[in-house]
Amino acid sequence: MARLGPWVPDRAPGGPDVPPVGIAVSGGADSLCLAFLAARWRRAVRALVVDHGLRAESAHEARLTLERLRDLGIPADLLVLDGLTRGPGLADRARRARYAALTRACRQAGIIDLLLGHHADDQAETILIRRRAASGPDGLAGMAWISSTADLRLVRPLLGFGKARLRATLRHAGLAWVEDPSNADVRAERARVRAALAGAPDRAMRACRSAAGAGRARMAADRDQAVALAARAEYAPGGWVALPADLLSPRALSSVLRMVSGRDYPPPRRAVDALAAAPRPATLGGACLLPAGPALRRVGLAWLVVREEAAMDDAVPARAGACWDGRFVLWAPGRTVLDGVTLGAAGSVARWAPPGWRSRWPARAWRTLPALHRDGRVVAVPTAGICHAPELAGVRIALLPGAMAAESGLFGDLPEGGAGVGPGGESALAVQERPDMGV
């Protein structure tokens, strides 16, 4: 865990409260083992149990998991998801809803580190799924030990350990867990891959080893991209980016398009490759590539990436902490709800800008800004410093994109051995065939 830091200092006995480390717990063996180990590592932890409500037993299983956590001395909160229904894309929709609920709960509790229970078998499955989908080199790095969202670190301490070892740890501790039958439903691709790997441990080990090599290459590319973009791109607080012509590499363009659009995934690789090879005004993956105006070209910036207006989310009620369009969070000191006010796209500049207002950015970019609306009128555009309603003068809107223009994840092998090293210096992968050995 030390190599996956830095961490907020732990709470000393009798000392003041500190922000806890969060633990995502489904109640299954993997996440319950993670909670058990985390509580032995530090005092300041808090479990977050998500009930999807997709099975009749899920509410009972969630309550049972809360009881097991409390028996371990781990404080826990229940997060109930509403509105999930069976149908196409269920796994992806459930994943999005789960992470959205976890993020909200972490923000409310002041949690900045969230532990996830993904393990080496999950990593092998992910690699094989991505190979079948013809994923690029970055995708074949698999899941990261550490990845970052706008205001949260996602940490996977168990990536070096197989599922059998986690279950052995729980059995040794006398702990029971929940079995979700949907994990074995072969209608899902991951379940089919899991079944195929169950009889081929060597194949799983090779997949994890290939992910380690791809991860090292990804981190090197991320580092180079971060240096170049930080030095030469320009980022506007309104959520758009200006780029010099020679930074339109497929990799950098894909990252910037994803960041500006606020989407979970980058746009299709072939489309990005074609656009980078022959840059032109285009719309791709919820964002638009536009030629920069004269003022930007004079300082070496040739292209703009702005949000696609037609793809932006509808307006939402203006509440403290509300997130709009996957990128903007509203802050309203001392207030919970702004009565009669909604948060949505600013729209036509003529509706809200003062007379004579000018900018080097195009109107097409300004129209995508988050704005506060009342009775069909724009009453404030905080990001532009414009407010037509004095009572809203203290409201702020922060740009917190879910993806970054240059990733900062930790992939591959941990330095100095890292997590996943067994007794006598054996790698975790080398001892997966010994299921009686716990963590």
Side-chain angles (χ1 to χ4, degrees):
M1 296 304 289
R3 294 184 177 95
L4 293 171
W7 303 99
V8 174
D10 197 7
R11 181 177 62 245
D17 288 341
V18 298
V21 169
I23 315 163
V25 181
S26 66
D30 311 335
S31 60
L32 189 64
C33 183
L34 174 65
F36 169 72
L37 294 168
R40 294 165 67 89
W41 161 59
R42 62 179 284 145
R43 298 179 183 86
V45 295
R46 187 167 202 88
L48 302 171
V49 180
V50 179
D51 174 13
H52 288 88
L54 292 172
R55 293 185 295 112
E57 306 86 356
S58 66
H60 168 71
E61 291 170 352
R63 289 193 299 271
L64 181 61
T65 299
L66 290 173
E67 293 172 6
R68 288 169 174 167
L69 290 166
R70 287 165 184 158
D71 288 344
L72 291 170
I74 302 172
D77 298 319
L78 177 62
L79 312 178
V80 180
L81 303 186
D82 295 319
L84 273 179
T85 57
R86 295 196 175 276
L90 174 61
D92 185 58
R93 288 187 286 112
R95 184 193 63 80
R96 291 169 183 260
R98 180 172 67 252
Y99 276 102
L102 289 168
T103 298
R104 286 194 299 270
C106 288
R107 192 174 287 156
Q108 292 168 0
I111 293 170
I112 59 174
D113 296 299
L114 178 65
L115 307 185
L116 304 175
H118 299 116
H119 48 70
D121 296 86
D122 292 328
Q123 183 76 297
E125 294 163 11
T126 297
I127 297 304
L128 294 185
I129 290 171
R130 292 183 180 179
R131 281 180 185 169
R132 291 181 178 181
S135 177
D138 285 356
L140 296 180
M143 292 180 286
W145 293 91
I146 301 170
S147 54
S148 299
T149 65
D151 51 1
L152 194 63
R153 277 195 340 144
L154 304 178
V155 185
R156 300 174 177 88
L158 302 180
L159 279 184
F161 299 100
K163 175 173 63 177
R165 298 189 65 193
L166 307 184
R167 295 183 175 220
T169 300
L170 291 180
R171 284 193 291 268
H172 182 73
L175 298 175
W177 59 86
V178 171
E179 288 285 4
D180 183 350
S182 64
N183 289 333
D185 186 347
V186 293
R187 288 175 295 182
E189 181 182 19
R190 185 169 288 272
R192 295 194 297 272
V193 172
R194 183 176 300 128
L197 286 175
D202 289 348
R203 190 181 179 196
M205 291 169 62
R206 289 195 301 272
C208 288
R209 285 175 180 145
S210 72
R216 290 189 292 271
R218 175 170 179 169
M219 286 193 295
D222 285 340
R223 182 175 59 250
D224 293 344
Q225 181 171 306
V227 170
L229 289 173
R232 304 183 56 218
E234 184 169 341
Y235 302 82
W240 54 85
V241 180
L243 296 167
D246 61 342
L247 273 189
L248 285 188
S249 68
R251 197 173 190 278
L253 181 59
S254 177
S255 298
V256 172
L257 286 166
R258 179 185 173 197
M259 183 190 76
V260 170
S261 71
R263 296 192 173 178
D264 290 342
Y265 301 105
R269 187 157 53 99
R270 289 184 179 178
V272 175
D273 290 348
L275 187 57
R280 64 194 184 282
T283 299
L284 182 60
C288 304
L289 184 67
L290 309 173
L296 291 172
R297 288 200 298 271
R298 282 195 291 270
V299 294
L301 298 169
W303 293 93
L304 284 177
V305 179
V306 305
R307 182 73 163 110
E308 179 190 359
E309 291 179 75
M312 290 190 297
D313 290 348
D314 294 334
V316 299
R319 301 174 179 272
C323 182
W324 173 72
D325 203 41
R327 302 174 297 147
F328 295 101
V329 176
L330 186 146
W331 306 103
R335 306 171 72 174
T336 303
V337 180
L338 306 180
D339 292 332
V341 180
T342 59
L343 173 63
S348 173
V349 175
R351 297 172 54 207
W352 50 267
W357 190 75
R358 293 287 184 271
S359 168
R360 64 175 181 154
W361 303 107
R364 187 170 177 180
W366 288 107
R367 292 198 300 264
T368 67
L369 283 179
L372 299 176
H373 301 253
R374 180 189 286 147
D375 299 327
R377 296 186 304 109
V378 175
V379 291
V381 188
T383 310
I386 293 173
C387 183
H388 302 304
E391 70 276 12
L392 299 177
V395 176
R396 297 288 180 268
I397 297 175
L399 172 64
L400 292 174
M404 302 179 187
E407 296 289 347
S408 58
L410 176 60
F411 295 87
D413 299 316
L414 287 180
E416 301 175 23
V421 174
E426 301 165 287
S427 73
L429 294 176
V431 295
Q432 283 193 61
E433 69 274 14
R434 292 153 57 181
D436 59 315
M437 178 180 290
V439 177

